[in-house]
Amino acid sequence: MPTVLLIEDDDESRRATSELFSRENWTVLEAGDGEVGIELALKHRPEVILCDLLMPKANGFQVCRAIRQQLQPTKIIVISGRDYGVDRASALEAGADEYLVKPITWDLLSSSINRILPQLPRKPLGGSNGVEFHTPSTRVKMWGVRGSIPVPGPSTVRYGGNTSCVEIRADGEIIVLDAGSGIRSLGMALEREFGERSVKLTLLITHTHWDHIQGLPFFLPVYNQKNEIRVLGYEGARAGLATILAGQMETPFFPVSLRDLPGNIAIEELKEMEFSIGKVQVRSRFANHPGICAGYRLTTSGGSIAFFPDNEPYELLKLQVADRDHTSMGEAREFAENERQKLVEFLSGCDLLILDAQYTDEEYQRHIGWGHGSLSRVVSLALEAKARKLMLFHHDPNHDDKMIDDMVERARLLVVESGAAMEVEAAREGAEVWLAARQEHLIAR
Ligand SMILES: [Zn+2]
Ligand SMILES: [Zn+2]
């Protein structure tokens, strides 16, 4: 378990804080003044240091500066009885990662530690226990279905203009897939539904392209201390998940920083490709899309759902690259076939497939290598995986309602020609799919 060093001259207050950490199985070191604190810090290199501001021998600012110079990875939380803006600013400038005002509770500490050390080992991924809501089965609701950028307006009014966000209610969990602009309406709906009660949910991020995270600063539950939000995703190609999510809320872009949000938000980088959220089993697979982008398959008691909002099938892409680089077409074909086969197995027998179908086949010819799917390739993938229902997702911002209608019709024709019985719909904002006992209904709102 991790180690914390408490530097505080008030014995009673130090003992109380020590108790909080011990209860959570932390190893606790204690120092009664700044000098001893610095000495213990350098000797034991704890993960976290809690430091008071007003102490004999070396004050909290001096302790921060001394430790910051020599121990970069250690996180420092300054604790103070005073809430002066100037103290806070000086502490952060001296090297503190957080500034908390007394009285200190475990809730306050743990959400602060979650912010500064999202990768810290914690109790195993559990569920969002105690959520009180009633769904007769597994319910999937679309809050944002668009790719790339929100496109509200008269031509997108039926399918919707908001970017990627899907809500799943299953086995007592609220699981949200992606935080595109659609998450704003979801947040308002959750606050209405839960009122004074705590909203506990897990947000699974596929990747941090803007259309998949841009709604987070407008998600009401992050502004209320009663709520518990766990954000899960993989480290990006150039920066960690927490860094990227905080980046879009930095001063030039947004007035409230991620660390100042009052909700309890725990950002955790996923390392494993299989994990569970309560009783819901989750498997991940990296998609073919620029940077690090995952797709998820969730197995619930009501059925399974796979979500690949951004994914480009390899077939044509690999052939084009081989042609350009004068490498072997045979090898390219084999690589593409292998990858396709692995994805088919991953999606095999899924009840609901939500897949990137951004382009028509004609458009795709001009967008090979952009990281998105084309209609016929997506339909054939879903057919091969023997999915029960395919939902076309990540609609191109240039596609109006009529265009999406035409794509659904084309996709259904392909299914009929194949002789299979798979259902096809285009994802539509507000639409719900209920999965239960091998029966499902698309319910229009
Ligand atoms: Zn996207
Ligand atoms: Zn993307």
Side-chain angles (χ1 to χ4, degrees):
M1 281 311 288
T3 300
V4 62
L5 167 62
L6 310 178
I7 313 176
E8 155 87 88
D9 61 330
D10 183 299
D11 291 342
E12 200 173 315
S13 151
R14 196 178 64 237
R15 245 195 311 275
T17 314
S18 169
E19 182 80 357
L20 295 177
F21 278 96
S22 301
R23 251 186 263 151
E24 299 292 320
N25 295 329
W26 282 64
T27 305
V28 184
L29 303 170
E30 297 185 34
D33 66 55
E35 257 177 31
V36 177
I38 295 169
E39 208 180 294
L40 286 180
L42 299 181
K43 190 167 162 206
H44 296 280
R45 300 174 167 268
E47 277 86 358
V48 178
I49 294 174
L50 250 66
C51 180
D52 193 17
L53 266 192
L54 307 176
M55 290 179 300
K57 301 208 174 153
N59 67 44
F61 301 114
Q62 291 169 296
V63 173
C64 284
R65 270 192 290 275
I67 289 170
R68 191 44 77 227
Q69 271 171 13
Q70 300 180 65
L71 286 181
Q72 271 77 31
T74 291
K75 301 293 178 192
I76 309 173
I77 301 173
V78 163
I79 308 276
S80 173
R82 316 181 311 175
D83 194 10
Y84 296 125
V86 62
D87 280 355
R88 182 183 292 267
S90 304
L92 296 179
E93 198 172 310
D97 297 282
E98 293 264 309
Y99 183 98
L100 301 180
V101 178
K102 293 177 186 177
I104 299 299
T105 61
W106 180 251
D107 276 356
L108 197 62
L109 281 173
S110 73
S111 59
S112 165
I113 292 167
N114 284 339
R115 273 195 296 273
I116 56 181
L117 277 176
Q119 73 279 24
L120 205 64
R122 245 172 273 286
K123 288 175 188 163
L125 289 180
S128 333
N129 300 320
V131 179
E132 289 170 41
F133 57 81
H134 303 283
T135 46
S137 63
T138 293
R139 193 189 81 187
V140 184
K141 184 161 182 175
M142 306 287 148
W143 293 94
V145 298
R146 195 62 61 167
S148 311
I149 189 166
V151 282
S155 66
T156 58
V157 90
R158 272 194 294 118
Y159 286 100
N162 281 302
T163 59
S164 184
C165 181
V166 175
E167 176 197 10
I168 294 169
R169 300 255 182 133
D171 301 309
E173 302 294 329
I174 302 176
I175 300 172
V176 182
L177 303 169
D178 278 344
S181 67
I183 203 171
R184 179 179 164 273
S185 308
L186 167 61
M188 293 191 292
L190 286 170
E191 286 299 322
R192 268 197 307 274
E193 177 184 345
F194 282 80
E196 295 297 303
R197 289 178 297 147
S198 168
V199 179
K200 294 175 184 166
L201 61 84
T202 305
L203 170 59
L204 263 183
I205 302 277
T206 57
H207 66 312
T208 55
H209 280 163
W210 207 15
D211 49 328
H212 300 259
I213 61 167
Q214 66 196 149
L216 193 58
F218 300 91
F219 185 46
L220 264 187
V222 303
Y223 291 91
N224 200 325
Q225 211 172 5
K226 71 182 170 70
N227 300 323
E228 287 174 31
I229 295 147
R230 169 179 249 176
V231 185
L232 303 178
Y234 291 90
E235 180 173 339
R238 297 198 181 184
L241 180 66
T243 310
I244 302 169
L245 293 179
Q248 70 167 348
M249 297 178 73
E250 276 175 17
T251 306
F253 310 115
F254 198 72
V256 185
S257 71
L258 184 66
R259 65 158 63 195
D260 287 336
L261 292 176
N264 294 299
I265 305 155
I267 301 173
E268 295 174 34
E269 263 174 21
L270 292 165
K271 305 286 177 211
E272 306 297 329
M273 303 305 278
E274 281 185 35
F275 54 95
S276 56
I277 299 169
K279 289 187 192 135
V280 178
Q281 298 295 317
V282 187
R283 284 170 63 204
S284 334
R285 186 179 155 75
F286 290 118
N288 183 33
H289 190 68
I292 301 295
C293 176
Y296 298 106
R297 177 176 179 150
L298 288 80
T299 305
T300 75
S301 59
S304 51
I305 303 135
F307 183 61
F308 278 78
D310 295 53
N311 183 51
E312 178 169 7
Y314 276 102
E315 298 92 300
L316 292 179
L317 168 69
K318 277 288 152 188
L319 292 182
Q320 193 196 53
V321 172
D323 192 31
R324 188 191 64 206
D325 297 349
H326 309 294
T327 51
S328 154
M329 285 287 184
E331 276 174 28
R333 211 169 269 126
E334 196 183 317
F335 175 87
E337 188 42 46
N338 278 342
E339 286 300 314
R340 179 186 172 83
Q341 213 40 54
K342 282 189 235 164
L343 185 55
V344 166
E345 278 163 33
F346 185 88
L347 302 174
S348 174
C350 217
D351 293 295
L352 175 63
L353 282 189
I354 304 170
L355 296 184
D356 175 355
Q358 177 146 351
Y359 302 125
T360 64
D361 290 3
E362 298 72 34
E363 286 170 329
Y364 179 67
Q365 292 301 326
R366 300 190 300 276
H367 297 90
I368 295 176
W370 287 43
H372 294 291
S374 68
L375 192 65
S376 66
R377 297 279 155 183
V378 168
V379 171
S380 68
L381 177 67
L383 283 171
E384 216 175 310
K386 298 194 166 40
R388 288 179 61 221
K389 185 187 198 94
L390 167 64
M391 200 163 250
L392 310 175
F393 195 79
H394 207 271
H395 306 313
D396 191 279
N398 292 333
H399 289 177
D400 59 13
D401 290 333
K402 170 76 174 64
M403 180 76 162
I404 297 174
D405 284 342
D406 291 348
M407 287 175 76
V408 173
E409 202 176 307
R410 172 83 195 123
R412 285 178 180 160
L413 273 175
L414 290 170
V415 174
V416 169
E417 280 166 17
S418 79
M422 184 177 71
E423 284 179 62
V424 183
E425 298 278 348
R428 183 174 56 74
E429 237 175 86
E432 292 182 11
V433 178
W434 290 19
L435 303 172
R438 310 299 292 172
Q439 282 190 351
E440 68 186 53
H441 313 280
L442 188 74
I443 296 171
R445 190 175 66 174

